[in-house]
Amino acid sequence: MKLLLLGPPAAGKGTQAEKLVERYRIPTISTGAIFRKAMEQMTPSGKLAKEYIDKGQLVPDDVTIAIVRERLAEDDCKNGYILDGFPRTLPQAQAADDMGIQFDKVILIDVADEEVVRRISGRRQCGECGAVYHIDDNPSEKVSLCDKCGGTLVTRDDDTEETVKIRLEVYHSQTEPLIRFYREKGNLVTVKGQKEVEHTTEMLFQALDK
């Protein structure tokens, strides 16, 4: 089973990928996670990726493609995988075709722009342990402090409303064409993102079982 997850920032792709991993026993490949690890380790590619991500822009195709190619060559991908964050542009999609990647299903988790802004701008992260909260959906009982370790909750640089709007502009201009691309291939499935994670998961499984 080879799956691709599409959707705007904060659509819940990472969360739903975890549900798919449990069901199909295949790994999820998130370029976001790969880049975050590289940024934490301050590798050359990590430093370069951070410059783009902090501005709400996409990492260049050649960097992303090289990282994904290396990851898919690992043993745990032999029986399938779930891609989250690649391809995000038409050139990346063509590169995926050239690499011989044929998706069984391309899943679009559709969330309105207003909801994306609300989800991201309300997100808070502990500066000590990294725990994530939301001022409305999952607030800390200690308000500005982490319930787990007592660390101060902060807004990440790429979670400001201004940066979120830039990220949405990038999504609409560069990523949305993929929806048409895969719709024409006949393997696109659209799932409306729900407020409750479990409801989105239920709709996702129903779509895949058809």
Side-chain angles (χ1 to χ4, degrees), residues 123-186:
R123 190 160 56 189
R124 299 292 183 271
Q125 186 170 21
C126 176
E128 298 296 328
C129 71
V132 178
Y133 300 85
H134 192 280
I135 58 175
D136 296 319
D137 299 341
N138 180 35
S140 167
E141 294 182 0
K142 299 178 181 177
V143 186
S144 60
L145 299 177
C146 177
D147 290 337
K148 296 181 179 179
C149 74
T152 301
L153 300 184
V154 298
T155 301
R156 298 191 320 194
D157 291 341
D158 57 342
D159 279 355
T160 63
E161 185 170 339
E162 180 180 355
T163 303
V164 172
K165 290 181 178 179
I166 294 174
R167 291 168 67 187
L168 280 169
E169 290 176 5
V170 171
Y171 168 74
H172 288 303
S173 65
Q174 298 190 39
T175 305
E176 278 197 338
L178 291 181
I179 298 173
R180 294 189 295 271
F181 180 80
Y182 288 113
R183 182 178 289 122
E184 291 174 0
K185 283 181 171 289

Side-chain angles (χ1 to χ4, degrees), residues 4 13 17 34 56-57 59-60 62 77 103 140 161 187:
L4 167 63
K13 298 186 295 295
I34 294 173
Q57 300 173 352
V59 176
D62 56 343
C77 294
F103 297 110
S140 167
E161 185 170 339
N187 58 353

Side-chain angles (χ1 to χ4, degrees), residues 2-206:
K2 297 178 181 178
L3 303 173
L4 167 63
L5 289 174
L6 295 178
K13 298 186 295 295
T15 300
Q16 296 306 321
E18 292 176 1
K19 304 295 184 182
L20 291 168
V21 168
E22 293 176 4
R23 191 184 209 208
Y24 295 110
R25 303 299 179 185
I26 53 178
T28 179
I29 313 298
S30 168
T31 53
I34 294 173
F35 286 133
R36 280 192 292 274
K37 184 176 181 180
M39 288 189 290
E40 289 173 1
Q41 296 177 343
M42 293 300 287
T43 64
S45 61
K47 293 178 182 178
L48 181 60
K50 190 176 190 308
E51 292 180 11
Y52 289 92
I53 293 173
D54 284 349
K55 296 176 183 177
Q57 300 173 352
L58 295 179
V59 176
D61 287 346
D62 56 343
V63 177
T64 303
I65 291 168
I67 290 176
V68 172
R69 182 182 290 113
E70 292 175 355
R71 180 65 183 88
L72 296 185
E74 296 182 18
D75 288 342
D76 63 338
C77 294
K78 289 182 177 179
N79 295 322
Y81 43 78
I82 304 157
L83 281 179
D84 173 12
F86 176 88
R88 274 184 174 165
T89 66
L90 285 177
Q92 289 181 3
Q94 185 59 58
D97 277 355
D98 294 342
M99 290 164 62
I101 298 175
Q102 298 295 326
F103 297 110
D104 295 293
K105 295 287 184 180
V106 176
I107 305 159
L108 169 64
I109 302 179
D110 192 20
V111 178
D113 286 4
E114 296 79 7
E115 176 63 10
V116 170
V117 173
R118 187 194 72 81
R119 290 184 183 185
I120 297 182
S121 61
R123 190 160 56 189
R124 299 292 183 271
Q125 186 170 21
C126 176
E128 298 296 328
C129 71
V132 178
Y133 300 85
H134 192 280
I135 58 175
D136 296 319
D137 299 341
N138 180 35
S140 167
E141 294 182 0
K142 299 178 181 177
V143 186
S144 60
L145 299 177
C146 177
D147 290 337
K148 296 181 179 179
C149 74
T152 301
L153 300 184
V154 298
T155 301
R156 298 191 320 194
D157 291 341
D158 57 342
D159 279 355
T160 63
E161 185 170 339
E162 180 180 355
T163 303
V164 172
K165 290 181 178 179
I166 294 174
R167 291 168 67 187
L168 280 169
E169 290 176 5
V170 171
Y171 168 74
H172 288 303
S173 65
Q174 298 190 39
T175 305
E176 278 197 338
L178 291 181
I179 298 173
R180 294 189 295 271
F181 180 80
Y182 288 113
R183 182 178 289 122
E184 291 174 0
K185 283 181 171 289
N187 58 353
L188 181 74
V189 173
T190 301
V191 174
K192 287 288 184 182
Q194 306 295 308
K195 185 174 182 179
E196 298 296 331
V197 171
E198 294 77 10
H199 294 167
T200 302
T201 303
E202 182 179 353
M203 295 175 67
L204 174 59
F205 287 169
Q206 288 176 353

